[in-house]
Amino acid sequence: MSKDQAPRYSMDISHVTSVELPLIVKNVDKAIAMLGGKERIRKAVNSQYRPLPIQASSHSVDDRNLELRLRSDPFHHPVQASVNHREKILLKVSVPKSSLPSDYYENPRKYNVRELIARTREPGSTPHHVEPIAIINKNFSFRGMADFQMSTKNNDRVQNFKKNMLQANKFEEIKKYYEEEVVVKDELIDSKTFENRDHHFIPPPCFSGIRFPFDYKYQKNPFTVTLRDENGDAKVVMKFDRKKLFTNTVDYNADEVPQQPLPEIVSKFEWMQTTDLSQEYSDKKLYECIQFITKLFNIKPIWLRRLLVDVVPENLKSAVKEALPYVSYCYKNGPWRFCNVKLGVNPRDLPSFWVHQSENFRVLGIQTKIDHNEIVGRIVPPTIQVVYHEGDVQLSENLFFTGSKLPKTVNYQLGDVLDLDVRTCIRNAMDKNQFFRDEVDAQDGWIQKQVIETVRRIIKYKLRQLKDEEIIDPLKILKIVQTDYNIKDSVKAASNSATDHPRMDQDDEDDPHEDSEDDDEDEDVEEEEGELVKNEIDKMDVDVKENEDATETNVFSRIKQVDEHTATKLQELVGLIKQDNVNNGQP
């Protein structure tokens, strides 16, 4: 035989069954008794039993399988064996006595087989010998739980059952036990039945609903440490305290806006201004971040926080959240929600603040997590170009809505929307003097209802198309632009009033911020107009009854002065309704 080939062994050997016990066997007879005796082992070895992957009970008794009983108790929950039919080879390894360590016989468990074999390979040592002696074609192993146990040693009822039934030698003993304990008696007569005492009930057949233990992999909280106080008591504390943010949030309806930071941080800012921060790394970074974003707020008074994080230097990004309360406050509702506003600035004072109004679009499926390894172009947003022409304040293009690429955010300031359709809509409304409101609105800000609704629907429609990678239909955009949302909104308000349902703007079906499969952003505009016209006609009928001088001609004349396109469709629909009434025999 070549030295390069492994030795060959004859496999004409016996086939045996093995049993792996989760314990060290010192008494073979006792181990066999724990498995139910030789007869029980013989039945299990000779059976063709294959346990199902999911059994009705993980502790069910089956003579074809083995179970391990750890104590002598009729109500003990044994460990069920798992049967493996994969063949394995049982090897006999013979190590010469001359290669054994000097203390091997004193403590043989100190050395494993690998270590003993390694000693035989040393120079001058007698080699070991290996030979296969059997093929294991069935293996019983106990990997499951022993289940929770209940001791019955002090349970009189269980001990009585064990003595007179399980260990009884005479029929008279069994009969006596049956008549005294098993036969149903009228226990309601005996007052002891209702006493608050241990009734010695037998343990349930199963405590655990699972067969194998589950590893929860409990680990220590990496942000905690265990300390001992002067009394020696252990206490788990955080390694570092979470910094408290003193963000000044303001309700839209508040009469005044904050002029300076909260008192809790004013003193700290004064301390940072008068202290050498060269040895205070975190405070130095915070102070530098405050100075940097102060310059940004002087350029643009209202920012989205995500834009600020994008424009500040890399080493200051982690301090932006803590630095913002020193220079700005936040609106928790209204047209400038999610925005950080420079202290002392009130966007409700001037219509020019419309460019900073924010709109949030909850469109399912848009991934807003930014990949910092992705190469993204940087631009100067329009709200900065107007007031700052040097052009060194550049932001990532994927944070703005362009209408051609799917952005990495769903929150935008209207003045920074780069989509051509949106900007055209705004420009046309300004040219017609139909853009600004006379007074600021709690929901739409300084922008008129028609314009803001059109902008919202265009953006949401395009976001969905870009997310689904579908073509943007120009006709759909045209229908959105041509829809009159002022009439639609007033008709809906009248309908809600007529049905005694209060109008809730945030839960309105026309709210562009809500994302659902039934959002009327996806409905056909013609159907919307049909519903609108029907409600409008009902409303006009009421007006005609209240005003005897009003006629159909006068009503359509007034509507035509406002919107000729809508008046034409109303006339067509009125004609259809009249024709239907004639066909149905109605006057």
Side-chain angles (χ1 to χ4, degrees), residues 67-227:
E67 59 180 17
L68 179 63
R69 292 184 170 271
L70 303 179
R71 56 192 175 91
S72 177
D73 188 338
F75 295 98
H76 166 58
H77 295 172
V79 184
Q80 299 295 313
S82 298
V83 185
N84 189 342
H85 292 271
R86 289 195 296 267
E87 291 188 347
K88 301 178 182 178
I89 306 299
L90 180 61
L91 299 177
K92 178 182 179 181
V93 181
S94 301
V95 178
K97 293 183 179 180
S98 58
S99 300
L100 296 176
S102 57
D103 60 343
Y104 176 77
Y105 292 101
E106 298 177 1
N107 188 9
R109 299 186 183 278
K110 182 179 178 180
Y111 303 95
N112 57 41
V113 177
R114 292 181 182 273
E115 293 176 346
L116 298 177
I117 293 176
R119 296 175 64 89
T120 63
R121 293 172 178 170
E122 297 177 356
S125 300
T126 305
H128 65 282
H129 179 67
V130 179
E131 63 174 329
I133 59 174
I135 296 176
I136 302 175
N137 58 2
K138 181 184 286 189
N139 179 59
F140 292 91
S141 60
F142 297 89
R143 307 289 175 83
M145 294 195 308
D147 196 19
F148 301 98
Q149 304 290 328
M150 178 181 289
S151 176
T152 59
K153 181 172 62 175
N154 299 321
N155 190 323
D156 295 338
R157 180 171 295 183
V158 171
Q159 296 301 322
N160 191 18
F161 170 78
K162 181 178 179 181
K163 176 182 178 181
N164 296 298
M165 289 291 290
L166 300 181
Q167 299 176 354
N169 296 321
K170 297 180 181 180
F171 176 75
E172 288 75 10
E173 296 178 357
I174 299 176
K175 181 179 179 182
K176 181 180 178 181
Y177 176 82
Y178 173 80
E179 293 175 349
E180 293 180 354
E181 300 291 339
V182 180
V183 175
V184 178
K185 300 178 181 179
D186 191 0
E187 296 182 347
L188 298 178
I189 300 176
D190 190 357
S191 61
K192 294 182 179 181
T193 305
F194 308 100
E195 293 180 357
N196 185 14
R197 58 185 175 85
D198 185 1
H199 292 272
H200 297 292
F201 293 131
I202 61 174
C206 177
F207 285 103
S208 175
I210 60 175
R211 182 173 182 180
F212 296 100
F214 182 80
D215 184 7
Y216 288 92
K217 296 182 179 180
Y218 289 113
Q219 296 180 355
K220 177 185 175 183
N221 187 344
F223 303 106
T224 61
V225 62
T226 303
L227 301 177

Side-chain angles (χ1 to χ4, degrees), residues 336 347-351 357 435-437 440 444-448:
W336 293 274
R348 294 173 297 174
D349 290 343
L350 297 173
Q357 290 181 205
F435 183 79
F436 290 109
R437 291 174 178 264
V440 64
D444 301 332
W446 289 105
I447 306 175
Q448 290 194 18

